[in-house]
Each structure stands twice: as structure tokens, then as C-alpha cells.
Amino acid sequence: LGPRLPQGGSGQAVVSTQSTGGSGEVLKREEFEARKQLAEASRLSKRSQKKSLASAGKELEHYPFLDALAKREEANKTGKMTSIIFIRDKNARGQEISGYIDYAHRLKTEDFEPYFNGKKRLLPKLSDLSFYNWETQKSTSNATPNYQVIADNASGLLFKNKRDRKIVNVDPKASRPGDNSTRVPVASQGQYTQVVIYDHITRRKT
């Protein structure tokens, strides 16, 4: 026996859908299925993208600093923004440390799930953009894929964005941090001595 034909006697099944213009649009079943699969793939892609965010599904409204990081996570992962995080606090030995962290770079090189879960505290490292231990007076500065460090400057520490060549001035006395940049002090509810986030919207130099 040959394959059964759908009702209507035609060897080609059709599905009628309504276009936005209100006129009926007839699609071949294969095309309809392809569109359906494409829509499903798009939906799953968006869902997996949300899942790939370490902050996804976390209740952070009572943790202002983590909430601020969560709101910037996707933009820093996609390259729309490159945030610099300044943190001043004490390390495990009780020594006061401070430093500037390239958030986008850390997101690529480190799992942030433990931070958003509250199992780890985000602190500056020797490998970050800038690090200073106030007790030992040990200091380091390192370029990252996003920023070049300009340390020997009369204005103090500057960071040059490698994508658009714009300067981010982190001097708190400066009237503004630079083009396409904003300075956002963050309340940390006693978790840190001081936290400031410098958000830079990246625009590629043409």
C-alpha cells in the first residue's frame, strides 16, 4: 500500500495562517514546520542565554552591590558595556586592600555563580587592572583585553578603553569620568568599605 493522502485528496498538505495584513497566507507544511522549528530554536536560545547569566533567577533586591552587578552582567558579557569596579575592603588577613576590576574580563575568566550565591566575596586580585595593599604597600597594575592602564599621569590613574580609545578617569574629584562613562557609588550595607562602579558604553572607533 502507498502512503495515505490527507483528506482533500491532494498529495500536498497545506496549513492556513493569518498574516499581519489580514489576508490569508497558505504555507506548505514543510515551510510551516521549518518556521515553527526556527521560532522554537529562537525561544530556546533566548532561554539558554538567560540561563547562561550567573545572576539569572537570583533574588538580589536586598543586596545592592550584587544587584548592581546582575543588572550589568549581560551588557558586559555582550560587549555593549565595559564596567570598572572599584572596591576597598579588608582581605582574609584583615589587611586593607583596594583595586579596580575589569568586570567584563572577570566574567569571561571566572565563574560568578558563587558570588551571586553569596558563597564568595568579590575582591580585587593582583591580576586585576589595579591592586593595592595598604599594609604591605604592594601594588600592581595590568592591562586587560578591554583596558590599558595609564598610571604615570598627573590626573592620577586612568584607564584607556581599547575598543573606542576613550579614557575613563577614576579620580573621585574629577567632574566627570569621561565620554560615554558614568560614575555610580554603590551602597554595600556594610559588606564593603567602599564600592564605586564606572560604566563605560563602548562604541567602536570608526
Side-chain angles (χ1 to χ4, degrees), residues 10-54:
S10 158
Q12 188 176 56
V14 296
V15 178
S16 177
T17 62
Q18 288 297 316
S19 69
T20 52
S23 59
E25 182 189 358
V26 178
L27 301 175
K28 292 180 182 178
R29 181 170 292 281
E30 290 85 353
E31 193 179 340
F32 174 76
E33 290 297 334
R35 283 194 191 184
K36 202 168 85 170
Q37 285 173 14
L38 194 64
E40 178 68 6
S42 173
R43 189 179 68 80
L44 290 173
S45 170
K46 282 177 184 172
R47 189 199 287 175
S48 74
Q49 205 169 32
K50 281 186 179 177
K51 277 188 178 178
S52 71
L53 295 176

Side-chain angles (χ1 to χ4, degrees), residues 150-164:
I150 305 173
D152 52 346
N153 188 278
S155 305
L157 200 58
L158 301 174
F159 299 106
K160 186 176 183 179
N161 187 279
K162 290 182 176 179
R163 187 175 183 184
D164 61 13

Side-chain angles (χ1 to χ4, degrees), residues 20-162:
T20 52
S23 59
E25 182 189 358
V26 178
L27 301 175
K28 292 180 182 178
R29 181 170 292 281
E30 290 85 353
E31 193 179 340
F32 174 76
E33 290 297 334
R35 283 194 191 184
K36 202 168 85 170
Q37 285 173 14
L38 194 64
E40 178 68 6
S42 173
R43 189 179 68 80
L44 290 173
S45 170
K46 282 177 184 172
R47 189 199 287 175
S48 74
Q49 205 169 32
K50 281 186 179 177
K51 277 188 178 178
S52 71
L53 295 176
S55 59
K58 310 288 190 301
E59 299 291 334
L60 302 171
E61 61 268 22
H62 299 301
Y63 306 94
F65 176 47
L66 292 178
D67 191 44
L69 292 183
K71 286 173 179 172
R72 291 162 171 80
E73 185 185 4
E74 187 171 10
N76 274 270
K77 272 196 161 186
T78 57
K80 292 175 185 174
M81 177 187 283
T82 46
S83 300
I84 296 172
I85 306 163
F86 170 76
I87 292 177
R88 184 161 63 94
D89 203 44
K90 291 187 176 178
N91 62 14
R93 295 179 181 176
Q95 301 167 332
E96 186 172 346
I97 59 170
S98 62
Y100 292 90
I101 298 167
D102 178 346
Y103 184 34
H105 180 52
R106 277 271 207 121
L107 281 169
K108 284 186 176 178
T109 58
E110 199 173 345
D111 178 16
F112 263 67
E113 193 92 27
Y115 295 120
F116 287 117
N117 282 334
K119 292 177 181 177
K120 280 176 75 177
R121 292 174 72 243
L122 183 65
L123 286 172
K125 297 179 178 181
L126 291 166
S127 56
D128 280 316
L129 277 171
S130 172
F131 172 89
Y132 185 66
N133 184 313
W134 292 82
E135 188 173 310
T136 65
Q137 297 189 347
K138 183 175 180 64
S139 67
T140 62
S141 62
N142 307 281
T144 66
N146 302 308
Y147 286 102
Q148 175 187 342
V149 183
I150 305 173
D152 52 346
N153 188 278
S155 305
L157 200 58
L158 301 174
F159 299 106
K160 186 176 183 179
N161 187 279
K162 290 182 176 179

Side-chain angles (χ1 to χ4, degrees), residues 63-66 68-69 72 184-189 192 194-197:
Y63 306 94
F65 176 47
L66 292 178
L69 292 183
R72 291 162 171 80
V184 185
V186 180
S188 59
Q189 294 184 324
Y192 294 90
Q194 187 184 9
V195 175
V196 180
I197 299 177

